[in-house]
Amino acid sequence: MVTKYAFLFPGQGSQFQGMAVDLYEASVASKKCIDSISEAAGEDILALLRDSSAEILARSDRSQLAITAASLSVIAALEEKGIKPSACAGFSLGEFSALCVGGVLSFDDTVRVVKQRGEIMQRVCDDIARRSAGRAPGMAAVIGLPPEKVVEICSSCEGVYAANMNSVKQTVISGTADGLDEAEGKFKEAGARRFVRLAVAGPFHSPLMKAAAEEFEKIIEPVEFRDPSILLFSNVSGKKISSGAEAKKLAVLHLIQSVLWTSEEKELADIISADSGSNWVLIEPGPGKVLSGLWRDTELGADHPVIPCCTFENISEL
């Protein structure tokens, strides 16, 4: 039976100080990858990964580059072992690592685009905070309510939107500081088990990021987006990406529309279920275990678990 791999790349909120540093020290390919990212980004990426505090890494202009570097360094180490994907999906920011590995963006373009994207998003978030008396916008996970109930409550709060459809048990919302305060009370009244503020810099995947989307569209206009070389999925549509032109359009909408992660999971699960001649192995290449946990809630979660993979030890055990 043929072994096929699917990579699920994590997004913002998964970061931690020191991520991928052990890979830099133990893997020749990972070291080369991180050094190449430093060259493309024009800064010391090893220092960013090794020395940045949690507070610094919560900023979009730092976390997006750092997480992408960590994920791509894992990919480099996996390729050393001959492990390459047949399918890729990325959660939020993670979609750009997927676009790189899926052949849509070149390595250098991925680094430059992600760096500029993070800077743009941070500026917009800072501007929203200034216009809100210094109270920063953000995101929160609502746990224990069905997604449709979360959407209903968001519609009753000013400046709050359902942003990430994570699972049947968890939906992430985006909003202004005042909007999130109002929403928290309403969700608790409605019976939510938990309302967890996330370590991110702004109200991502919502109309509040419109200014960022407009600026980002201009940034990527000259960038080449090629057709995918493997199965690749979109947060915006929840389906397979068919062309580079589609990927480019979706990259802009990505900033202001919801992440349809449960739809992507279903698309991938359907492909795996229909492929009786292959043994599919799912890997989460990058910091954290968020996507591994979300996949457990799917129909295939028990039989095809996602393997978290962010350290040299993880990779050695594959």
Side-chain angles (χ1 to χ4, degrees):
M1 185 174 285
V2 175
T3 297
K4 293 182 180 178
Y5 295 93
F7 291 173
L8 308 181
F9 292 95
Q12 279 183 255
S14 62
Q15 70 274 359
F16 60 89
Q17 183 178 8
M19 56 184 173
V21 171
D22 69 319
L23 285 171
Y24 186 90
E25 296 168 346
S27 164
V28 173
S30 293
K31 180 181 186 301
K32 183 178 179 181
C33 175
I34 291 174
D35 287 345
S36 295
I37 295 173
S38 295
E39 185 176 349
E43 62 178 285
D44 187 341
I45 297 301
L46 178 61
L48 173 65
L49 296 169
R50 184 187 58 215
D51 303 331
S52 297
S53 66
E55 183 178 13
I56 293 297
L57 285 175
R59 292 180 56 88
S60 288
D61 54 0
R62 299 287 78 201
S63 63
Q64 294 202 20
L65 186 56
I67 292 167
T68 302
S71 289
L72 293 181
S73 70
V74 172
I75 294 304
L78 290 172
E79 288 180 348
E80 272 188 316
K81 292 176 66 75
I83 297 174
K84 295 184 179 182
S86 297
C88 281
F91 188 95
S92 188
L93 165 69
E95 191 161 289
F96 286 85
S97 293
L99 290 173
C100 181
V101 175
V104 174
L105 287 173
S106 72
F107 181 90
D108 285 356
D109 280 343
T110 300
V111 174
R112 288 190 286 263
V113 163
V114 165
K115 181 177 182 179
Q116 290 175 297
R117 182 179 184 270
E119 291 169 350
I120 290 167
M121 291 171 69
Q122 188 62 53
R123 283 198 301 273
V124 169
C125 292
D126 289 344
D127 184 58
I128 294 172
R130 277 194 297 272
R131 289 187 278 109
S132 306
R135 301 191 67 219
M139 303 178 79
V142 180
I143 300 169
L145 289 178
E148 55 271 18
K149 184 63 176 178
V150 174
V151 172
E152 177 190 331
I153 292 174
C154 284
S155 67
S156 72
C157 301
E158 185 176 352
V160 180
Y161 306 89
N164 299 344
M165 303 304 178
N166 287 1
S167 75
V168 294
K169 302 175 183 178
Q170 180 189 121
T171 303
V172 170
I173 65 172
S174 286
T176 61
D178 290 342
L180 290 175
D181 287 345
E182 178 188 2
E184 182 171 7
K186 290 188 175 182
F187 282 118
K188 288 180 177 177
E189 266 183 40
R193 291 205 318 271
R194 297 180 67 197
F195 185 91
V196 183
R197 305 285 179 129
L198 303 184
V200 296
F204 307 142
H205 305 293
S206 80
L208 295 171
M209 299 302 293
K210 180 182 177 183
E214 291 172 349
E215 189 175 349
F216 186 61
E217 185 172 22
K218 296 174 185 175
I219 291 294
I220 65 170
E221 195 281 326
V223 178
E224 181 184 9
F225 279 63
R226 297 183 293 269
D227 293 345
S229 57
I230 59 174
L231 290 172
L232 197 61
F233 302 89
S234 163
N235 288 174
V236 174
S237 67
K239 300 182 181 300
K240 288 184 289 185
I241 297 173
S242 61
S243 69
E246 181 189 15
K248 191 175 216 176
K249 178 181 178 182
L250 294 173
V252 177
L253 295 174
H254 197 241
L255 290 167
I256 57 174
Q257 293 194 13
S258 301
V259 172
L260 304 183
W261 188 248
T262 52
S263 299
E264 286 183 74
E265 288 179 318
K266 185 178 186 308
E267 286 280 303
L268 178 58
D270 287 347
I271 289 169
I272 291 172
S273 295
D275 189 2
S276 58
S278 301
N279 171 42
W280 281 84
V281 177
L282 284 72
I283 295 175
E284 183 173 1
K289 302 177 181 179
V290 171
L291 303 186
S292 307
L294 296 181
W295 182 262
R296 277 198 298 270
D297 292 335
T298 70
E299 293 180 1
L300 292 182
D303 296 328
H304 292 83
V306 175
I307 303 169
C309 197
C310 189
T311 67
F312 186 73
E313 182 180 358
N314 296 152
I315 295 168
S316 299
E317 291 173 351
L318 291 174

